[in-house]
Amino acid sequence: MKQNIIPFNPVSCIEKPKAQKFTGAKFYNEKQIEQLLEVSKGDPLEVFLLVTVFYGLRRSEVLGLKWGAVDFEEKTVTIEHTAIRTNKNVHKLDRTKNQASHAAFPMPERVISRLLELKKKQDEHKVLQPNDYVDEDYIFTKLNGEVLLPCYVSKHFRLLLKNNNLPHIRFHDLRHSSASFLKSLGFDLKDIQVWLRHKDIQTTMNLYTYLDMEAKGNIADTLSKITIVRNRLLELFILLEFC
């Protein structure tokens, strides 16, 4: 168009599609989260789920965790790698979704002890498979050291929920569950944004804060009590007028 080859830019006629807000997310409350962690004991995804729920990580971020990002002395873990699905393979990246997603977190004893147990098992597998073990420093791997497939994590997660009669949720909904749990504990949106590493607080407000049924019940009870009190005051006022 600048060269006067065409009279106008045809792209300017395109109507930009409106963003569709996702409304299908579900989440677990505190009791269901603890139940999930309890039934997953001894499961191949036991530590995987603990880390996911505790830090509210994306699946790609948990898969991308490396031992080099864990500092047992300083008790910190850094989110700096990801692993995503590409057809039937795994594409490993030395970066996160965005700059805000790259962050370091403190590790409590509950997480440290489970990671140390997992590391001990991996070291044993390395000894048993000196020629076949794939040592790429990843934390969550198969028995031969290869990083877990994203599809395996999602399918196994669904099976775990089904076998233990837990409500069906997507694996990513554990991130929603973490956000809602933090909110129920009294943390404000800014705290939750920092913990979940959202680029802006609007994402936290729009996608990851939900009121569970108990919270809705408290609101309903409070509104009901206010209505009852107002009605009684109105009745008393009418009686006093007639007296």
Side-chain angles (χ1 to χ4, degrees):
M1 189 177 70
K2 289 181 179 179
Q3 296 175 359
N4 294 319
I5 296 176
I6 57 176
F8 66 93
N9 182 3
V11 179
S12 62
C13 300
I14 297 176
E15 294 184 6
K16 185 178 179 181
K18 295 181 180 180
Q20 297 295 322
K21 185 177 180 181
F22 178 67
T23 58
K26 299 179 181 179
F27 64 95
Y28 277 179
N29 56 32
E30 179 182 1
K31 183 178 180 181
Q32 289 170 320
I33 289 175
E34 286 298 334
Q35 187 178 358
L36 171 64
L37 296 180
E38 181 64 29
V39 299
S40 66
K41 288 183 177 179
D43 187 88
L45 292 184
E46 177 184 357
V47 185
F48 194 100
L49 292 173
L50 173 62
V51 172
T52 300
V53 170
F54 190 86
Y55 293 108
L57 299 180
R58 304 175 180 92
R59 183 183 64 178
S60 61
E61 293 169 341
V62 190
L63 287 170
L65 283 176
K66 291 188 174 184
W67 290 114
V70 178
D71 189 329
F72 287 108
E73 291 187 3
E74 296 296 327
K75 298 182 179 181
T76 62
V77 57
T78 303
I79 312 302
E80 55 187 356
H81 305 283
T82 53
I84 60 176
R85 179 180 60 186
T86 55
N87 294 327
K88 295 183 179 181
N89 299 315
V90 180
H91 187 45
K92 303 154 190 174
L93 304 170
D94 291 327
R95 59 179 175 81
T96 53
K97 182 179 180 181
N98 50 53
Q99 187 175 358
S101 297
H102 187 292
F105 289 94
M107 288 193 304
E109 290 302 324
R110 183 179 184 182
V111 174
I112 291 176
S113 62
R114 305 303 291 126
L115 286 177
L116 285 174
E117 290 176 11
L118 183 60
K119 194 173 189 308
K120 182 180 178 181
K121 290 180 180 179
Q122 281 194 359
D123 290 339
E124 292 174 354
H125 288 304
K126 290 180 184 179
V127 175
L128 294 173
Q129 307 172 74
N131 300 321
D132 302 320
Y133 194 87
V134 181
D135 192 355
E136 296 181 308
D137 198 42
Y138 284 99
I139 295 178
F140 298 105
T141 66
K142 303 176 185 178
L143 295 180
N144 66 349
E146 292 180 354
V147 66
L148 293 175
L149 292 173
C151 59
Y152 164 78
V153 173
S154 296
K155 290 179 180 178
H156 189 85
F157 177 67
R158 288 197 298 269
L159 185 63
L160 180 66
L161 299 185
K162 182 179 180 180
N163 290 341
N164 291 280
N165 297 316
L166 285 169
H168 170 72
I169 61 173
R170 303 174 306 156
F171 187 86
H172 189 71
D173 289 334
L174 291 177
R175 185 165 164 83
H176 296 246
S177 302
S178 179
S180 296
F181 182 45
L182 291 173
K183 189 172 184 294
S184 70
L185 292 176
F187 291 99
D188 59 31
L189 290 178
K190 188 61 181 179
D191 292 330
I192 299 174
Q193 178 199 355
V194 171
W195 190 256
L196 295 183
R197 297 156 294 113
H198 288 144
K199 191 173 182 180
D200 59 78
I201 200 168
Q202 194 64 39
T203 303
T204 312
M205 295 173 64
N206 292 342
L207 299 179
Y208 292 102
T209 50
Y210 306 90
L211 287 174
D212 58 18
M213 193 55 66
E214 182 179 355
K216 291 177 180 178
N218 292 336
I219 293 176
D221 290 341
T222 301
L223 291 175
S224 177
K225 290 176 182 178
I226 292 174
T227 303
I228 292 173
V229 171
R230 286 181 177 176
N231 287 340
R232 288 179 178 175
L233 287 174
L234 181 60
E235 292 173 0
L236 180 60
F237 178 75
I238 294 174
L239 287 174
L240 289 174
E241 273 195 332
F242 280 104
C243 292

